């Protein structure tokens, strides 16, 4: 039976393989654990080899959780956290009581929270694009001055 649940995959920091000591530690760990692996069945052998390689990588270079989930968003600040907390409390009150007044409060909080998050994310994106334009403008000026210098000589 095939499982449709999404598996938690672990990514490894492969930049650590630039260090010779870590490469040696990784190779030694694999050699040590594969010595007792016997050829019985292709499927079980592959599963053993795969688990040995993953465990050796976790021990030698360490695992990194899925990249996007652990990235800290620069735009997510104190105001966003407060708005999310208000929304969470209003939702909990609505679920607990179930009356129309709590529902109205929750809907208002949800709407204000969404606006707050959109505003903060939008202002962060605006600042990012401004910074990008400044960098592009600087590079354009440097390129034009280099071209002018090469024309003069």
């Amino acid at each position: 039976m095939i499982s449709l649940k999404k598996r938690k995959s672990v990514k490894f920091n492969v930049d650590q393989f630039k260090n010779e000591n870590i490469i040696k530690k990784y190779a030694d760990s694999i050699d040590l654990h594969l010595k007792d692996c016997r050829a019985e069945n292709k499927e079980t052998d592959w599963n053993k080899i795969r688990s040995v390689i993953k465990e050796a990588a976790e021990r030698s270079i360490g695992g990194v959780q899925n990249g996007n989930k652990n990235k800290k968003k620069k735009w997510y600040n104190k105001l966003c956290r407060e708005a999310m907390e208000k929304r969470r409390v209003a939702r909990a009150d609505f679920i607990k009581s179930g009356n129309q007044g709590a529902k109205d409060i929750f809907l208002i909080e949800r709407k204000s929270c969404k606006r707050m998050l959109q505003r903060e994310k939008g202002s962060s994106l605006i600042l990012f694009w401004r910074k990008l334009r400044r960098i592009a403008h600087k590079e354009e000026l440097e390129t034009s001055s280099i071209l002018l210098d090469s024309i003069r000589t």
Side-chain angles (χ1 to χ4, degrees), residues 69-97:
K69 290 183 179 178
N70 290 334
K71 282 186 182 176
K72 191 168 185 175
K73 294 170 178 61
K74 293 180 181 179
W75 58 267
Y76 194 81
N77 56 23
K78 185 179 177 183
L79 294 172
C80 296
R81 280 189 287 279
E82 289 173 356
M84 288 294 289
E85 181 62 21
K86 285 181 183 178
R87 179 189 172 279
R88 189 189 65 74
V89 169
R91 182 177 182 272
D93 289 343
F94 167 57
I95 290 172
K96 192 183 291 183
S97 68

Side-chain angles (χ1 to χ4, degrees), residues 50-114:
R50 184 177 61 189
S51 66
V52 165
I53 290 172
K54 285 183 178 181
E55 289 170 8
E58 285 178 13
R59 280 192 296 271
S60 58
I61 61 175
V64 177
Q65 291 297 324
N66 287 345
N68 290 339
K69 290 183 179 178
N70 290 334
K71 282 186 182 176
K72 191 168 185 175
K73 294 170 178 61
K74 293 180 181 179
W75 58 267
Y76 194 81
N77 56 23
K78 185 179 177 183
L79 294 172
C80 296
R81 280 189 287 279
E82 289 173 356
M84 288 294 289
E85 181 62 21
K86 285 181 183 178
R87 179 189 172 279
R88 189 189 65 74
V89 169
R91 182 177 182 272
D93 289 343
F94 167 57
I95 290 172
K96 192 183 291 183
S97 68
N99 63 21
Q100 187 63 35
K103 181 180 179 181
D104 293 340
I105 292 171
F106 167 63
L107 293 176
I108 291 168
E109 287 298 328
R110 185 174 69 177
K111 194 172 189 178
S112 69
C113 177
K114 183 177 179 180

Side-chain angles (χ1 to χ4, degrees), residues 90-151:
R91 182 177 182 272
D93 289 343
F94 167 57
I95 290 172
K96 192 183 291 183
S97 68
N99 63 21
Q100 187 63 35
K103 181 180 179 181
D104 293 340
I105 292 171
F106 167 63
L107 293 176
I108 291 168
E109 287 298 328
R110 185 174 69 177
K111 194 172 189 178
S112 69
C113 177
K114 183 177 179 180
R115 284 182 183 164
M116 169 65 71
L117 295 174
Q118 287 175 339
R119 183 176 48 236
E120 292 298 319
K121 189 173 184 179
S123 64
S124 175
L125 287 173
I126 289 170
L127 293 174
F128 170 76
W129 284 111
R130 285 180 186 164
K131 185 176 181 180
L132 195 61
R133 281 192 206 118
R134 272 189 253 125
I135 292 170
H137 183 67
K138 277 185 183 178
E139 288 178 359
E140 187 178 295
L141 291 176
E142 290 172 2
T143 305
S144 62
S145 66
I146 292 171
L147 287 174
L148 287 174
D149 292 340
S150 65
I151 292 171

